[in-house]
Amino acid sequence: MSVPGTKGCIMARIEFGWMPPVGGDNQARPEFMANLRRGLATIAGHFDSVWFPDHLQFEDHPFLEGWTTLTYLAALEPRLKVGHIVLCQLFRNPALLAKMAATLQYVSEGNFVMGIGAGWQEEECKAYNIPYPGPGQRVEELDEALQIMKALWREDHVTFEGKYHRVTNAFCQPKPEPIPPIMVAAFQPRMLRVVARHADWWNIGFSDLEKTRDLVNKLDEACRAVGRDPKTIRRTAMIGCYCAPNERKLKELTDKHRGPFGLGLVGTPAQVIEQFKPIIDLGFDYFMVSGGGFPDTTTLEMLAHEVLPALNS
């Protein structure tokens, strides 16, 4: 499995991140926190990172606030990179967000990845009295927000006058070191153009190989339109996974599945490895996985000790 655009001479290193549970659903707080620590201990030294979403509410499910939780996780397990999958740009002033990111990058010693998107869940915005404009405006707001953030991370005394956002003589010190990678989640054409203009990483939620191939082609087109080499953007995918050493254990894990999304990749380590390969062949080398069945850590253990090493062998 080679890096896209090479002649097979450079091997892409596959990296995994973990998406832990988002709240204490059916668990007392001590149990939830103990399971969270156990999950982090399972992946540390094997996975690259831990990721947390950014929602204020999701139907009637318990949901921890994303920035607060991720900051805690960064301190709890400093061996791991941390990122949101992804921040909703509607929730925070972009200059303040740039300052928050610079601070987290500083105190985490360079472990932060800036994952961000335009925002999509109208329900929570209405509930929390946050303006929710139409899709075109949300994309334009994100484009301006990214311009402000990048300027504040690199320059002093930034002034920006946009259609939706402005800053005047804004000063951000200490600067983030290194500059956090910007990861934009995108599926639609306008958002793919934002990726082409601003992102270091691109993120999707994987569900179907053909749909993913089509998205890859559309991102390539968006990059060509702005004169950018598509290979300069890292391709990442959020993906569900259930992995167990045998069918009996696998059934035990999948029988407990609930939630709005499907099971994702399902199988023994050998089977899951084969399911990852065609996605990797599309140029994806970074996967944010759910660790299906958690707080049972079987999936995380299989991924850490069998799947990930095999993909990198």
Side-chain angles (χ1 to χ4, degrees):
M1 292 164 284
S2 60
V3 173
T6 68
K7 296 181 179 179
C9 57
I10 302 174
M11 298 302 291
R13 176 168 176 78
I14 308 304
E15 294 183 297
F16 284 172
W18 179 42
M19 298 183 295
V22 297
D25 220 354
N26 299 321
Q27 295 180 41
R29 182 174 62 184
E31 180 185 5
F32 176 82
M33 296 305 296
N35 287 331
L36 183 61
R37 292 186 179 93
R38 191 160 52 87
L40 291 171
T42 301
I43 67 168
H46 305 282
F47 283 34
D48 178 69
S49 54
V50 60
W51 299 81
F52 208 82
D54 188 35
H55 287 289
L56 303 174
Q57 66 181 51
F58 208 98
E59 297 177 343
D60 293 329
H61 302 296
F63 218 109
L64 294 170
E65 193 278 323
W67 192 276
T68 310
T69 304
L70 197 78
T71 304
Y72 176 77
L73 295 175
L76 192 62
E77 184 42 83
R79 289 175 290 178
L80 294 170
K81 293 184 178 69
V82 294
H84 296 94
I85 191 160
V86 289
L87 289 169
C88 175
Q89 62 93 14
L90 299 172
F91 293 170
R92 302 166 187 89
N93 173 284
L96 174 60
L97 183 57
K99 182 69 173 180
M100 294 164 67
T103 300
L104 183 52
Q105 186 72 322
Y106 184 90
V107 298
S108 70
E109 300 184 28
N111 277 338
F112 180 58
V113 177
M114 170 54 79
I116 194 165
W120 62 271
Q121 194 185 21
E122 186 174 7
E123 169 204 343
E124 62 188 346
C125 289
K126 286 184 175 179
Y128 279 74
N129 196 32
I130 296 170
Y132 186 80
Q137 181 174 329
R138 296 200 306 274
V139 174
E140 290 176 5
E141 286 186 13
L142 175 61
D143 191 287
E144 290 186 2
L146 289 169
Q147 292 180 63
I148 289 170
M149 291 163 57
K150 290 162 72 174
L152 281 170
W153 291 342
R154 292 170 172 83
E155 307 166 20
D156 289 330
H157 308 292
V158 173
T159 295
F160 176 91
E161 184 79 25
K163 185 177 179 181
Y164 304 105
H165 297 299
R166 65 180 58 86
V167 293
T168 304
N169 200 28
F171 186 75
C172 180
Q173 286 284 1
K175 293 284 186 254
E177 178 58 44
I179 299 293
I182 291 174
M183 182 184 80
V184 175
F187 302 86
Q188 299 298 330
R190 281 178 293 190
M191 282 296 293
L192 290 171
R193 290 195 288 271
V194 172
V195 173
R197 286 192 297 270
H198 295 294
D200 304 294
W201 297 13
W202 170 47
N203 181 257
I204 65 165
F206 177 82
S207 60
D208 178 87
L209 192 63
E210 289 309 310
K211 289 180 181 178
T212 301
R213 182 176 286 109
D214 182 58
L215 283 172
V216 167
N217 291 334
K218 288 177 179 176
L219 178 62
D220 289 350
E221 292 172 6
C223 287
R224 285 192 290 270
V226 300
R228 183 171 181 182
D229 183 349
K231 295 188 291 294
T232 63
I233 299 175
R234 189 171 199 181
R235 300 172 187 177
T236 76
M238 177 174 56
I239 196 164
C241 185
Y242 284 83
C243 189
N246 54 61
E247 294 298 329
R248 180 193 60 77
K249 182 63 177 179
L250 198 59
K251 185 176 187 306
E252 177 187 324
L253 294 178
T254 56
D255 281 349
K256 299 175 184 176
H257 177 77
R258 56 194 177 86
F261 305 111
L263 294 168
L265 309 186
V266 179
T268 63
Q271 291 169 334
V272 167
I273 289 164
E274 290 306 309
Q275 292 170 57
F276 267 113
K277 285 181 177 179
I279 313 171
I280 293 168
D281 288 341
L282 291 177
F284 290 84
D285 62 8
Y286 206 111
F287 298 94
M288 296 79 168
V289 294
S290 59
F294 190 82
D296 187 318
T297 59
T298 299
T299 294
L300 292 178
E301 291 166 5
M302 295 291 99
L303 291 172
H305 298 289
E306 298 197 37
V307 175
L308 190 56
L311 291 175
N312 283 314
S313 63

